[in-house]
Amino acid sequence: MALARATEVSFTYPEGDEPALDSVSLELDPGEAVALLGPSGSGKSTLLRALSGLVPHFHGGRFAGQVEIAGRDTRLERPAEFAGLVATLFQDPEDQVVLDRVEHEVTFGLENLGTLPAEILPRAHAALAVVGAQHLASRRIETLSAGELQRVCLASAFALEPQLVLLDEPTSQLDPEGAEAILDLALGSGAAVVISEQRPSLPLERCERVVFMERGRLLLDAPREEALEWLLENRPAYLPRQPAQPWGDMAGGETLCRVDRATFSYGDRPVLDGASLKLRRGEIVALTGPNGIGKTTLAKLVAGLLEPDSGRVQRVGRASYLSQDPGRYLIRERADEEVALSVGGDLAGARRSLAEVGLAGLEHRHPRDLSSGERERLALAAVLVTEPDVLVLDEPTRGIDPLRKEELANLLRQDSDRRATLVVTHDLVFAGDVADRLVPLGVREAALA
Amino acid sequence: MSPGPAAALLAAAAVTALLADRTVSVAVLAVVLLAVCLQAPRGRRWPYLAGSLSTALMVFLVSPLVQHLGTHIVWTGPDLPALGRLDVTGEELEVALFQGVRLAAVALAFAAYALLLDHDRLLQAAGFARRSVLAVGLATRLVPTLERDVRGLVEALRGRGVEVRGLWSHARLLSPLVAGSLERGLNLAEAMEARGYGRPGRTRTPRAPWGRLDHAALIVAPALVLIGALWL
């Protein structure tokens, strides 16, 4: 018997005009691993929510069709009733943490499920051990790195011993090694796993079945080999590939930013120790490296948002910085006003910038009404409109689908001769596509050319 | 000390500050609570202390100007259309000092609760009203979350060349902050539902038994309130 079955499911959000799911039918067997691919806004997250019962119970809207988990109709029971059976890991781990300490966070779900008191702590510790996070048990959540937090969220899910694990872009904030570890842990749990991802290489390597969605419909549901052929023919951007070689060192070009033996600490925690970096006009530099190594700190030094404890940062002209979090670009009531805020209210310039990033026609929309992918592009427009000499982008591909990444790479290369560009990224394929030069920030003492 | 008795003690301190009549008594209580708050890590305590003490100072500075009390004038100001003549009397200053210190004591009791108590254990210990305790715990987390959000917004604005200076510029961030909090609240509610929150038959992680200090705190808390009402 299938563990989960969606039959002709259609769903439209209360505020939506178009259906987020359109006649979707899908069966999941116990223990199988499914890669769920598709562009931003294609309905992947909505499908995961339908498989956990959150759609329609939590979101409202118009729902048709049927979803059954272990033979139980999700329309007839609250999502909380499926908690021991289905576990969901959402896109942003920070938004799903309820309690202050790691151990308590993991026990939260066990208590809700009515686990025998004597079993709660041993099961929580066992789940933490499975994800390699037992040493974090007494830590405060706010002190964890992105990778550690994602492991804790995974432990919270595993502690409930679910039969179906739904992962909604679980690795978007993680470096390649961290992402690989999280996926391997999920796939090794023995539960059926559905992984929605915008970096498709890993899920395509590890899942035996691939589902591709677009505009709320399933375009493909096939075993991996067949799916790879379909992707090659129809959606080649989603095929796994090795990072391209950088475009090559740009000769000449005025030096616009020079970081010289910079050190930086947050309180008593040293992050950078003697880092050096040179950015020249016309070149795009990709700064890569594991989580927590100091990439964002170095990027903020380049942008002038932080001052080094020692060493020097010299900059020519204007520097602009794109934050990792597009939620920080939702201040005004309209998209064009949001972008115009960066240039003293110049609406004409703002609209040109919106058009450049593919948001023409959405000028009047409230920024919070935009999808996550559109918010990313709005944030990019708000920074590009300033026409900086030094442009710093911190994880600009987070949550962006492969096609949009190609567009972003083209956009950045298009005017790259005007400025020096520094891109902080975990996405090595994107780094290869966009950068003239890769700078791996691997050890704190590294002095970078 | 276990978080339950500690919360009772802090609540008693706040109630005592509200019941006491003497400025000196309330001031002593405020100083003790300030010393307690200073046990928290420096990075976490400053928004609470700044908020508590600046609000108390505002009350002290503003209330003499809007009250009309006493006859011993110490300062005479201009005649204003709605408020009349601005003057400050010795009696008004005394009352303002008392109100300011009282507010500081109550705010510092909350700050100590927010900074030093283990809210997770408080929630686990809650035999009844668990939903309310959880709501209070999540609301307590709002202060550091908002502080982090403000830093993030200001940094993103600086990253595109917009400097945020002064009270008015910061005040304009209030609306996006509230909207962001609501959005985060919805996400959290969804995650809680998915993790079985609200199902009947929930259980509790066994908690450590109370020690002598905990029992003593439960005796001292009502005694403090009684003393405050009768003698302070």
Side-chain angles (χ1 to χ4, degrees), chain B residues 35-194:
Chain B
V36 171
C37 289
L38 289 175
Q39 304 305 308
R42 187 188 296 259
R44 289 185 65 221
R45 74 192 180 208
W46 81 261
Y48 292 93
L49 295 187
S52 304
L53 299 178
S54 62
T55 314
L57 185 65
M58 285 298 288
V59 167
F60 174 66
L61 292 176
V62 172
S63 70
L65 300 176
V66 294
Q67 287 188 86
H68 297 288
L69 188 72
T71 52
H72 298 90
I73 295 175
V74 293
W75 178 76
T76 303
D79 224 344
L80 295 180
L83 298 173
R85 178 169 292 280
L86 282 187
D87 54 22
V88 175
T89 65
E91 291 85 346
E92 285 167 355
L93 282 176
E94 272 176 35
V95 172
L97 181 65
F98 178 66
Q99 300 292 3
V101 171
R102 175 184 266 177
L103 182 65
V106 173
L108 288 169
F110 171 75
Y113 160 81
L115 288 167
L116 295 169
L117 258 63
D118 186 333
H119 304 114
D120 296 355
R121 284 175 61 206
L122 193 61
L123 175 68
Q124 284 169 345
F128 62 96
R130 183 181 157 83
R131 279 172 187 263
S132 307
V133 176
L134 180 60
V136 171
L138 291 173
T140 306
R141 208 201 286 163
L142 192 65
V143 175
T145 306
L146 285 180
E147 191 238 339
R148 199 183 58 200
D149 286 352
V150 170
R151 265 188 286 138
L153 284 175
V154 169
E155 184 182 82
L157 283 166
R158 284 181 60 213
R160 45 182 171 149
V162 182
E163 287 297 330
V164 182
R165 289 202 187 96
L167 198 61
W168 176 238
S169 294
H170 279 89
R172 293 182 75 171
L173 299 179
L174 199 61
S175 162
L177 280 173
V178 171
S181 296
L182 290 173
E183 209 168 77
R184 191 183 295 115
L186 274 177
N187 292 341
L188 182 62
E190 185 182 29
M192 286 167 67
E193 176 83 33

Side-chain angles (χ1 to χ4, degrees), chain A residues 49 52 54 58-59 72 78-84 86-88 90 94-118 120-121 140 142 156 160 300 304-306 318-323 327-333 337-343 368 375 382-383 386, chain B residues 41 44 114-125 130-131 134 137-138 140-141 144-145 148-164 169 172-207:
Chain A
R49 281 165 169 77
S52 62
L54 290 165
F58 190 82
H59 293 273
R72 291 156 60 190
R78 281 181 52 201
E81 300 296 333
F82 290 95
V86 184
T88 310
F90 296 94
E94 284 186 20
D95 281 0
Q96 54 191 303
V97 171
V98 183
L99 297 174
D100 291 338
R101 287 188 192 275
V102 168
E103 182 185 82
H104 301 146
E105 180 63 20
V106 182
T107 61
F108 176 75
L110 290 166
E111 290 179 340
N112 290 335
L113 262 56
T115 308
L116 288 175
I120 293 175
L121 278 176
R140 290 184 70 84
E142 70 203 27
S156 302
L160 309 182
K300 286 179 181 174
L305 296 175
L306 294 175
R318 178 176 188 160
S320 287
Y321 172 84
L322 175 72
S323 159
R328 294 176 177 177
Y329 298 84
L330 306 172
I331 292 171
R332 291 293 169 89
E333 304 291 318
E337 288 176 1
E338 181 66 47
V339 176
L341 181 63
S342 312
V343 281
R368 287 193 186 275
R375 286 184 184 189
V383 171
T386 61
Chain B
R44 289 185 65 221
L115 288 167
L116 295 169
L117 258 63
D118 186 333
H119 304 114
D120 296 355
R121 284 175 61 206
L122 193 61
L123 175 68
Q124 284 169 345
R130 183 181 157 83
R131 279 172 187 263
L134 180 60
L138 291 173
T140 306
R141 208 201 286 163
T145 306
R148 199 183 58 200
D149 286 352
V150 170
R151 265 188 286 138
L153 284 175
V154 169
E155 184 182 82
L157 283 166
R158 284 181 60 213
R160 45 182 171 149
V162 182
E163 287 297 330
V164 182
S169 294
R172 293 182 75 171
L173 299 179
L174 199 61
S175 162
L177 280 173
V178 171
S181 296
L182 290 173
E183 209 168 77
R184 191 183 295 115
L186 274 177
N187 292 341
L188 182 62
E190 185 182 29
M192 286 167 67
E193 176 83 33
R195 291 169 67 188
Y197 182 70
R199 261 167 70 147
R202 69 170 298 281
T203 48
R204 283 192 285 169
T205 307
R207 61 179 169 83

